[in-house]
Coordinates of all heavy atoms in Angstrom, one line a residue:
M1 N -101.7 54.7 -27.1 CA -102.3 53.6 -26.3 C -103.0 52.6 -27.3 O -103.7 53.0 -28.1 CB -103.3 54.2 -25.3 CG -103.7 53.2 -24.4 SD -104.7 53.9 -23.0 CE -103.7 55.3 -22.5
T2 N -102.6 51.4 -27.2 CA -103.2 50.3 -28.0 C -104.3 49.5 -27.2 O -104.1 49.2 -26.0 CB -102.1 49.3 -28.3 OG1 -101.1 50.1 -29.1 CG2 -102.7 48.2 -29.3
I3 N -105.4 49.2 -27.8 CA -106.5 48.4 -27.3 C -106.5 47.1 -28.0 O -106.5 47.1 -29.2 CB -107.8 49.2 -27.2 CG1 -107.7 50.4 -26.3 CG2 -108.9 48.2 -26.8 CD1 -109.0 51.1 -26.2
R4 N -106.6 46.0 -27.3 CA -106.8 44.7 -27.9 C -108.1 44.1 -27.3 O -108.5 44.4 -26.2 CB -105.7 43.8 -27.6 CG -105.5 43.4 -26.3 CD -104.3 42.5 -26.1 NE -104.2 42.0 -24.7 CZ -103.2 41.2 -24.2 NH1 -102.2 40.8 -25.1 NH2 -103.2 40.8 -23.1
S5 N -108.8 43.3 -28.1 CA -110.0 42.7 -27.7 C -109.8 41.1 -27.7 O -109.2 40.6 -28.6 CB -111.1 43.0 -28.6 OG -111.5 44.3 -28.6
R6 N -110.3 40.5 -26.7 CA -110.2 39.0 -26.6 C -111.6 38.5 -26.5 O -112.5 39.0 -25.8 CB -109.4 38.6 -25.3 CG -109.2 37.2 -25.1 CD -108.2 36.9 -24.0 NE -108.5 37.7 -22.8 CZ -109.4 37.4 -21.7 NH1 -110.0 36.2 -21.8 NH2 -109.5 38.2 -20.7
R7 N -111.9 37.5 -27.4 CA -113.3 36.9 -27.3 C -113.2 35.5 -26.9 O -112.2 34.8 -27.2 CB -113.8 36.9 -28.8 CG -114.0 38.2 -29.3 CD -114.5 38.2 -30.9 NE -114.7 39.5 -31.4 CZ -115.8 40.2 -31.3 NH1 -116.8 39.7 -30.7 NH2 -115.9 41.4 -31.8
E8 N -114.2 35.1 -26.1 CA -114.2 33.8 -25.6 C -115.7 33.3 -25.5 O -116.6 34.2 -25.4 CB -113.5 33.5 -24.3 CG -114.2 34.3 -23.1 CD -113.5 34.0 -21.8 OE1 -113.3 32.8 -21.5 OE2 -113.1 35.0 -21.1
T9 N -116.0 32.0 -25.6 CA -117.4 31.5 -25.4 C -117.5 30.9 -24.0 O -116.6 30.1 -23.6 CB -117.6 30.4 -26.5 OG1 -117.6 31.0 -27.7 CG2 -119.1 29.9 -26.3
V10 N -118.4 31.4 -23.3 CA -118.7 30.9 -21.9 C -119.9 30.2 -21.9 O -120.9 30.6 -22.5 CB -118.8 32.1 -21.0 CG1 -119.1 31.7 -19.6 CG2 -117.5 32.9 -20.9
I11 N -119.9 28.9 -21.3 CA -121.1 28.1 -21.3 C -121.7 28.0 -19.9 O -121.0 27.7 -18.9 CB -120.8 26.7 -21.8 CG1 -120.3 26.8 -23.2 CG2 -122.0 25.7 -21.6 CD1 -119.8 25.5 -23.8
F12 N -123.0 28.3 -19.8 CA -123.8 28.3 -18.6 C -124.7 27.0 -18.7 O -125.4 26.9 -19.7 CB -124.6 29.5 -18.3 CG -123.7 30.6 -17.8 CD1 -123.2 31.6 -18.8 CD2 -123.4 30.8 -16.5 CE1 -122.4 32.6 -18.3 CE2 -122.5 31.8 -16.1 CZ -122.0 32.7 -17.0
R13 N -124.7 26.1 -17.8 CA -125.4 24.9 -17.8 C -126.8 25.1 -17.2 O -127.7 24.2 -17.3 CB -124.8 23.7 -17.2 CG -123.4 23.5 -17.9 CD -122.9 22.1 -17.5 NE -121.6 21.9 -18.1 CZ -121.3 21.7 -19.4 NH1 -122.2 21.8 -20.3 NH2 -120.0 21.5 -19.7
H14 N -127.0 26.1 -16.6 CA -128.3 26.5 -15.8 C -128.7 28.0 -16.1 O -127.8 28.7 -16.4 CB -128.2 26.3 -14.3 CG -127.7 24.9 -14.0 ND1 -126.3 24.6 -13.9 CD2 -128.4 23.7 -13.8 CE1 -126.1 23.3 -13.5 NE2 -127.4 22.8 -13.5
P15 N -129.9 28.3 -16.0 CA -130.3 29.8 -16.1 C -129.6 30.5 -15.0 O -129.2 29.9 -13.9 CB -131.8 29.8 -15.8 CG -132.3 28.5 -16.2 CD -131.1 27.4 -15.8
F16 N -129.1 31.8 -15.3 CA -128.3 32.5 -14.4 C -128.5 34.0 -14.4 O -129.3 34.5 -15.3 CB -126.7 32.3 -14.9 CG -126.4 32.8 -16.2 CD1 -125.7 34.0 -16.3 CD2 -126.8 32.1 -17.4 CE1 -125.4 34.6 -17.5 CE2 -126.5 32.7 -18.6 CZ -125.8 33.9 -18.7
H17 N -128.0 34.6 -13.5 CA -128.1 36.1 -13.3 C -126.7 36.7 -13.2 O -125.9 36.2 -12.5 CB -128.9 36.4 -12.0 CG -129.1 37.8 -11.8 ND1 -128.3 38.5 -10.9 CD2 -129.9 38.8 -12.3 CE1 -128.6 39.8 -10.9 NE2 -129.5 40.0 -11.8
I18 N -126.5 37.8 -13.8 CA -125.3 38.5 -13.7 C -125.7 40.0 -13.1 O -126.6 40.6 -13.7 CB -124.5 38.7 -15.0 CG1 -124.0 37.3 -15.4 CG2 -123.3 39.7 -14.8 CD1 -123.2 37.4 -16.6
R19 N -125.0 40.5 -12.1 CA -125.3 41.7 -11.5 C -125.2 42.7 -12.6 O -124.3 42.7 -13.5 CB -124.2 42.0 -10.4 CG -124.7 43.2 -9.6 CD -123.7 43.4 -8.5 NE -122.5 43.9 -9.1 CZ -121.9 45.1 -8.7 NH1 -122.4 45.7 -7.7 NH2 -120.8 45.5 -9.3
G20 N -126.1 43.6 -12.7 CA -126.2 44.6 -13.7 C -127.1 44.4 -14.9 O -127.5 45.3 -15.6
I21 N -127.6 43.1 -14.9 CA -128.5 42.6 -16.0 C -129.8 42.3 -15.1 O -129.7 41.5 -14.3 CB -128.1 41.5 -16.9 CG1 -126.8 41.9 -17.6 CG2 -129.2 41.0 -17.8 CD1 -126.2 40.8 -18.4
E22 N -130.9 43.0 -15.4 CA -132.1 42.9 -14.6 C -132.9 41.7 -14.9 O -134.1 41.7 -14.4 CB -132.9 44.1 -14.8 CG -132.2 45.4 -14.4 CD -131.9 45.3 -12.9 OE1 -132.6 44.9 -12.1 OE2 -130.7 45.8 -12.6
R23 N -132.5 40.7 -15.6 CA -133.3 39.5 -15.9 C -132.4 38.2 -15.7 O -131.3 38.3 -15.8 CB -133.9 39.6 -17.2 CG -133.0 39.7 -18.4 CD -133.7 39.9 -19.7 NE -132.8 39.8 -20.8 CZ -132.1 40.9 -21.4 NH1 -132.1 42.0 -20.9 NH2 -131.3 40.6 -22.4
I24 N -133.1 37.1 -15.6 CA -132.5 35.8 -15.6 C -132.2 35.5 -17.0 O -133.2 35.5 -17.9 CB -133.4 34.8 -14.9 CG1 -133.7 35.1 -13.5 CG2 -132.7 33.4 -15.0 CD1 -132.4 35.2 -12.6
L25 N -131.0 35.0 -17.3 CA -130.6 34.6 -18.6 C -130.7 33.1 -18.8 O -130.3 32.4 -17.9 CB -129.2 35.2 -19.0 CG -129.1 36.6 -19.0 CD1 -127.6 37.0 -19.0 CD2 -129.8 37.3 -20.1
P26 N -131.1 32.6 -20.0 CA -131.2 31.2 -20.1 C -129.8 30.4 -20.2 O -128.9 31.1 -20.6 CB -132.0 31.0 -21.4 CG -131.7 32.2 -22.2 CD -131.5 33.3 -21.1
A27 N -129.8 29.1 -19.9 CA -128.6 28.4 -20.0 C -128.2 28.4 -21.5 O -129.0 28.6 -22.4 CB -128.9 27.0 -19.5
G28 N -126.9 28.3 -21.7 CA -126.4 28.3 -23.1 C -125.0 28.8 -23.2 O -124.4 29.1 -22.2
A29 N -124.5 29.0 -24.5 CA -123.2 29.5 -24.8 C -123.4 31.0 -25.1 O -124.3 31.4 -25.7 CB -122.7 28.8 -26.0
Y30 N -122.5 31.7 -24.5 CA -122.5 33.2 -24.6 C -121.1 33.7 -25.0 O -120.1 33.2 -24.5 CB -122.8 33.9 -23.3 CG -124.3 33.7 -22.9 CD1 -124.7 32.4 -22.2 CD2 -125.3 34.6 -23.2 CE1 -126.0 32.2 -21.9 CE2 -126.6 34.4 -22.9 CZ -126.9 33.2 -22.2 OH -128.3 33.1 -22.0
E31 N -121.1 34.6 -25.9 CA -119.8 35.2 -26.3 C -119.4 36.4 -25.4 O -120.3 37.2 -25.1 CB -119.8 35.8 -27.7 CG -118.5 36.4 -28.1 CD -118.5 36.9 -29.6 OE1 -119.5 37.6 -30.0 OE2 -117.6 36.7 -30.3
V32 N -118.3 36.4 -24.8 CA -117.7 37.4 -23.9 C -116.6 38.1 -24.6 O -115.7 37.5 -25.1 CB -117.3 36.9 -22.6 CG1 -116.8 37.9 -21.7 CG2 -118.5 36.2 -21.9
V33 N -116.6 39.4 -24.6 CA -115.5 40.2 -25.3 C -114.9 41.1 -24.1 O -115.6 41.7 -23.4 CB -116.0 41.1 -26.3 CG1 -114.9 42.0 -26.9 CG2 -116.7 40.4 -27.5
T34 N -113.6 41.0 -24.0 CA -112.8 41.7 -23.0 C -111.9 42.7 -23.8 O -111.1 42.2 -24.6 CB -112.0 40.9 -22.1 OG1 -112.9 39.9 -21.5 CG2 -111.3 41.6 -21.0
D35 N -112.0 44.0 -23.4 CA -111.1 44.9 -24.1 C -110.0 45.3 -23.0 O -110.3 45.5 -21.9 CB -111.8 46.2 -24.4 CG -112.8 46.0 -25.7 OD1 -112.6 45.0 -26.4 OD2 -113.6 46.8 -25.9
E36 N -108.8 45.3 -23.5 CA -107.6 45.7 -22.7 C -106.8 46.7 -23.4 O -106.7 46.7 -24.6 CB -106.8 44.5 -22.4 CG -107.6 43.3 -21.8 CD -106.7 42.0 -21.7 OE1 -106.1 41.7 -22.8 OE2 -106.8 41.4 -20.7
E37 N -106.2 47.7 -22.6 CA -105.4 48.7 -23.1 C -103.9 48.5 -22.6 O -103.7 48.0 -21.5 CB -105.8 50.1 -22.8 CG -105.8 50.4 -21.3 CD -106.3 51.8 -21.0 OE1 -106.9 52.4 -21.9 OE2 -106.2 52.2 -19.8
T38 N -103.0 48.9 -23.4 CA -101.6 48.8 -23.0 C -101.3 49.7 -21.8 O -101.9 50.8 -21.7 CB -100.5 49.1 -24.1 OG1 -100.8 50.3 -24.6 CG2 -100.7 48.0 -25.2
I39 N -100.4 49.3 -20.9 CA -99.9 50.2 -19.9 C -98.6 50.7 -20.4 O -97.6 50.0 -20.6 CB -99.7 49.4 -18.6 CG1 -101.1 48.8 -18.1 CG2 -99.1 50.3 -17.4 CD1 -100.9 47.9 -16.9
E40 N -98.6 52.0 -20.6 CA -97.4 52.7 -21.3 C -96.3 52.8 -20.1 O -96.5 52.9 -19.0 CB -97.7 54.0 -21.8 CG -98.9 54.0 -22.8 CD -98.4 53.3 -24.1 OE1 -97.2 53.4 -24.4 OE2 -99.3 52.7 -24.8
G41 N -95.1 52.9 -20.6 CA -94.0 53.3 -19.8 C -93.3 52.1 -19.1 O -92.4 52.3 -18.3
L42 N -93.6 50.9 -19.4 CA -93.0 49.7 -18.8 C -92.0 49.1 -19.8 O -92.1 49.3 -21.0 CB -94.0 48.6 -18.5 CG -95.2 49.1 -17.5 CD1 -96.2 48.0 -17.3 CD2 -94.5 49.5 -16.1
T43 N -91.0 48.4 -19.4 CA -90.1 47.8 -20.2 C -90.6 46.4 -20.8 O -89.9 45.8 -21.5 CB -88.8 47.5 -19.4 OG1 -89.1 46.7 -18.3 CG2 -88.2 48.8 -18.9
F44 N -91.8 46.0 -20.4 CA -92.3 44.8 -21.0 C -93.8 45.0 -21.3 O -94.4 46.1 -20.8 CB -92.3 43.7 -19.9 CG -92.9 44.0 -18.5 CD1 -94.2 43.7 -18.3 CD2 -92.2 44.7 -17.5 CE1 -94.9 44.1 -17.0 CE2 -92.7 45.0 -16.4 CZ -94.0 44.7 -16.1
A45 N -94.4 44.3 -22.1 CA -95.8 44.4 -22.5 C -96.7 44.0 -21.3 O -96.6 42.9 -20.8 CB -96.2 43.6 -23.7
A46 N -97.6 45.0 -21.0 CA -98.6 44.7 -19.9 C -99.9 45.3 -20.4 O -99.9 46.4 -21.1 CB -98.1 45.3 -18.6
Y47 N -101.0 44.8 -20.0 CA -102.3 45.2 -20.3 C -103.2 45.4 -19.2 O -103.1 44.7 -18.2 CB -103.0 44.3 -21.3 CG -102.3 44.3 -22.7 CD1 -101.2 43.5 -22.8 CD2 -102.7 45.1 -23.7 CE1 -100.5 43.4 -24.1 CE2 -102.0 45.1 -24.9 CZ -100.9 44.2 -25.1 OH -100.3 44.2 -26.3
R48 N -104.2 46.4 -19.3 CA -105.2 46.6 -18.1 C -106.5 46.4 -18.8 O -106.8 47.0 -19.9 CB -104.9 48.0 -17.6 CG -106.1 48.7 -17.1 CD -105.8 50.1 -16.5 NE -105.0 51.0 -17.4 CZ -103.9 51.6 -17.2 NH1 -103.5 51.4 -15.9 NH2 -103.3 52.2 -18.0
R49 N -107.5 45.6 -18.1 CA -108.8 45.5 -18.6 C -109.5 46.7 -18.5 O -109.5 47.4 -17.5 CB -109.4 44.4 -17.8 CG -110.8 44.0 -18.3 CD -111.5 42.9 -17.5 NE -110.8 42.5 -16.3 CZ -110.3 41.3 -16.0 NH1 -110.5 40.3 -16.9 NH2 -109.7 41.0 -15.0
V50 N -110.2 47.1 -19.6 CA -110.9 48.4 -19.5 C -112.5 48.1 -19.8 O -113.3 48.9 -19.4 CB -110.5 49.4 -20.5 CG1 -109.1 49.9 -20.2 CG2 -110.5 48.8 -22.0
A51 N -112.8 46.9 -20.2 CA -114.2 46.6 -20.5 C -114.5 45.2 -20.7 O -113.6 44.4 -21.2 CB -114.8 47.3 -21.7
T52 N -115.6 44.7 -20.1 CA -116.1 43.3 -20.4 C -117.5 43.3 -20.8 O -118.3 44.0 -20.2 CB -115.9 42.4 -19.1 OG1 -114.5 42.5 -18.7 CG2 -116.3 41.0 -19.4
M53 N -117.8 42.7 -21.9 CA -119.1 42.7 -22.5 C -119.6 41.3 -22.8 O -118.7 40.5 -23.1 CB -119.2 43.6 -23.7 CG -118.9 45.0 -23.5 SD -118.1 45.8 -24.9 CE -116.5 45.1 -24.9
I54 N -120.9 41.0 -22.7 CA -121.5 39.8 -23.0 C -122.6 39.9 -24.0 O -123.4 40.9 -23.9 CB -122.0 39.0 -21.7 CG1 -122.4 37.6 -22.0 CG2 -123.1 39.8 -21.0 CD1 -122.6 36.7 -20.8
T55 N -122.7 39.0 -25.0 CA -123.8 39.1 -25.9 C -124.9 38.2 -25.4 O -124.7 37.0 -25.1 CB -123.3 38.6 -27.3 OG1 -122.2 39.4 -27.7 CG2 -124.3 38.7 -28.4
V56 N -126.1 38.7 -25.3 CA -127.2 38.0 -24.7 C -128.5 38.2 -25.6 O -128.5 39.2 -26.4 CB -127.6 38.5 -23.4 CG1 -126.5 38.3 -22.4 CG2 -128.0 39.9 -23.3
P57 N -129.4 37.3 -25.6 CA -130.7 37.5 -26.3 C -131.4 38.8 -25.9 O -131.5 39.0 -24.6 CB -131.5 36.2 -26.0 CG -130.5 35.3 -25.4 CD -129.4 36.0 -24.8
A58 N -131.9 39.5 -26.8 CA -132.5 40.8 -26.4 C -133.9 40.4 -25.7 O -134.5 39.4 -26.2 CB -132.7 41.7 -27.6
E59 N -134.3 41.2 -24.8 CA -135.5 40.9 -24.1 C -136.7 41.2 -25.0 O -136.8 42.3 -25.6 CB -135.6 41.8 -22.8 CG -136.7 41.4 -21.9 CD -136.6 42.1 -20.6 OE1 -136.0 43.2 -20.5 OE2 -137.1 41.6 -19.6
G60 N -137.6 40.2 -25.2 CA -138.8 40.4 -26.0 C -138.6 40.4 -27.5 O -139.6 40.6 -28.2
A61 N -137.5 40.2 -28.0 CA -137.2 40.2 -29.4 C -136.6 38.9 -29.9 O -135.5 38.7 -29.6 CB -136.4 41.4 -29.9
L62 N -137.4 38.1 -30.5 CA -136.9 36.7 -30.9 C -135.8 36.9 -32.0 O -135.9 37.5 -32.9 CB -138.1 36.0 -31.5 CG -137.8 34.5 -31.8 CD1 -137.5 33.8 -30.4 CD2 -139.0 33.8 -32.4
G63 N -134.6 36.2 -31.7 CA -133.5 36.2 -32.6 C -132.6 37.4 -32.6 O -131.7 37.4 -33.3
V64 N -132.9 38.4 -31.8 CA -132.1 39.6 -31.7 C -131.2 39.5 -30.5 O -131.6 39.0 -29.4 CB -133.0 40.8 -31.5 CG1 -132.2 42.1 -31.4 CG2 -134.0 41.0 -32.8
M65 N -129.9 39.9 -30.8 CA -128.9 39.8 -29.7 C -128.5 41.2 -29.3 O -128.5 42.1 -30.2 CB -127.8 39.0 -30.1 CG -128.0 37.6 -30.6 SD -128.7 36.5 -29.3 CE -127.2 36.2 -28.4
E66 N -128.1 41.4 -28.1 CA -127.5 42.7 -27.6 C -126.3 42.5 -26.8 O -126.1 41.4 -26.2 CB -128.6 43.5 -26.8 CG -129.1 42.8 -25.5 CD -130.1 43.6 -24.8 OE1 -130.2 44.9 -25.0 OE2 -130.9 43.0 -24.0
M67 N -125.4 43.3 -26.9 CA -124.1 43.3 -26.1 C -124.2 44.3 -24.9 O -124.5 45.4 -25.1 CB -122.9 43.7 -27.1 CG -121.6 43.6 -26.3 SD -120.2 43.8 -27.5 CE -120.1 42.1 -28.2
L68 N -124.1 43.6 -23.7 CA -124.1 44.5 -22.5 C -122.8 44.4 -21.8 O -122.2 43.4 -21.7 CB -125.2 43.8 -21.6 CG -126.6 43.7 -22.2 CD1 -127.6 42.9 -21.3 CD2 -127.2 45.1 -22.5
S69 N -122.6 45.6 -21.2 CA -121.4 45.8 -20.4 C -121.6 45.1 -19.0 O -122.6 45.3 -18.3 CB -121.0 47.2 -20.3 OG -119.8 47.4 -19.5
I70 N -120.6 44.3 -18.6 CA -120.7 43.7 -17.3 C -119.3 43.7 -16.6 O -118.3 44.1 -17.2 CB -121.1 42.2 -17.4 CG1 -120.0 41.4 -18.3 CG2 -122.5 42.0 -17.9 CD1 -120.2 39.9 -18.3
G71 N -119.3 43.5 -15.3 CA -118.0 43.5 -14.5 C -117.4 42.1 -14.7 O -118.1 41.1 -14.6
S72 N -116.1 42.0 -14.8 CA -115.4 40.7 -14.9 C -115.6 39.9 -13.6 O -115.7 38.6 -13.7 CB -114.0 41.0 -15.2 OG -113.4 41.6 -14.1
V73 N -115.7 40.6 -12.5 CA -115.9 39.8 -11.3 C -117.3 39.3 -11.2 O -117.6 38.2 -10.7 CB -115.6 40.7 -10.0 CG1 -116.0 40.1 -8.7 CG2 -114.2 41.1 -10.0
D74 N -118.2 40.1 -11.7 CA -119.7 39.5 -11.8 C -119.8 38.4 -12.7 O -120.5 37.4 -12.4 CB -120.6 40.7 -12.2 CG -120.6 41.9 -11.4 OD1 -120.4 41.6 -10.0 OD2 -120.7 43.0 -11.7
L75 N -119.1 38.3 -13.8 CA -119.1 37.2 -14.7 C -118.5 36.0 -13.9 O -119.1 34.9 -14.0 CB -118.3 37.5 -15.8 CG -118.1 36.3 -16.9 CD1 -119.4 35.8 -17.4 CD2 -117.2 36.7 -18.1
A76 N -117.3 36.1 -13.2 CA -116.8 35.1 -12.6 C -117.6 34.5 -11.5 O -117.7 33.3 -11.2 CB -115.4 35.5 -11.9
N77 N -118.4 35.4 -10.7 CA -119.3 35.0 -9.7 C -120.4 34.2 -10.3 O -120.9 33.1 -9.8 CB -119.8 36.2 -9.0 CG -118.9 36.9 -8.0 OD1 -117.8 36.2 -7.8 ND2 -119.2 38.1 -7.7
A78 N -120.9 34.6 -11.5 CA -122.1 33.8 -12.2 C -121.5 32.4 -12.6 O -122.2 31.5 -12.4 CB -122.6 34.6 -13.3
Q79 N -120.3 32.4 -13.1 CA -119.7 31.1 -13.5 C -119.5 30.2 -12.3 O -119.8 29.0 -12.4 CB -118.4 31.3 -14.2 CG -118.5 31.9 -15.6 CD -117.2 32.2 -16.2 OE1 -116.4 33.0 -15.8 NE2 -116.9 31.3 -17.2
A80 N -119.1 30.7 -11.2 CA -118.9 29.9 -10.0 C -120.3 29.4 -9.4 O -120.3 28.2 -9.0 CB -118.2 30.7 -8.9
A81 N -121.2 30.2 -9.5 CA -122.6 29.8 -9.1 C -123.1 28.7 -9.9 O -123.7 27.8 -9.4 CB -123.5 31.1 -9.0
D82 N -122.9 28.9 -11.2 CA -123.4 27.8 -12.1 C -122.7 26.5 -11.9 O -123.3 25.5 -11.9 CB -123.2 28.3 -13.6 CG -123.8 27.4 -14.7 OD1 -125.0 27.2 -14.6 OD2 -123.0 26.7 -15.5
A83 N -121.3 26.5 -11.7 CA -120.6 25.4 -11.4 C -120.9 24.7 -10.1 O -121.0 23.5 -10.0 CB -119.1 25.6 -11.4
S84 N -121.3 25.5 -9.1 CA -121.7 24.9 -7.8 C -123.1 24.2 -7.9 O -123.3 23.3 -7.2 CB -121.7 26.0 -6.7 OG -122.9 26.9 -6.9
I85 N -124.0 24.7 -8.8 CA -125.2 24.0 -9.0 C -125.0 22.6 -9.6 O -125.6 21.7 -9.3 CB -126.2 24.9 -9.9 CG1 -126.6 26.1 -9.2 CG2 -127.4 24.0 -10.3 CD1 -127.3 27.1 -10.1
A86 N -124.1 22.6 -10.5 CA -123.8 21.3 -11.1 C -123.2 20.3 -10.2 O -123.3 19.1 -10.4 CB -122.8 21.5 -12.3
N87 N -122.6 20.7 -9.1 CA -121.9 19.9 -8.2 C -122.9 19.4 -7.1 O -122.5 18.5 -6.2 CB -120.7 20.5 -7.6 CG -119.6 20.7 -8.6 OD1 -119.5 19.8 -9.5 ND2 -118.7 21.6 -8.6
D88 N -124.0 20.0 -7.0 CA -125.0 19.6 -5.9 C -125.6 18.2 -6.2 O -125.8 17.8 -7.2 CB -126.1 20.7 -5.7 CG -125.5 21.9 -5.1 OD1 -124.4 21.9 -4.5 OD2 -126.2 22.9 -5.1

């Protein structure tokens, strides 16, 4: 089984909350890493998401970052909420 990682930068224009993280995160750019594994036994290449993580400022530690596991749906919901604030 092969695992691949995809990295992307996600920008939030307003402070936001993601389910599973117990604090409000400040607006800014965040690195998101998605790990996917191959689905074996198919005649074409296909992948299944196995983990989504976001790098955030550590609570109470200036300049320290931590990588937290989040749900991909929770990330999408936070992005949608951020976009809807911008449209109000």
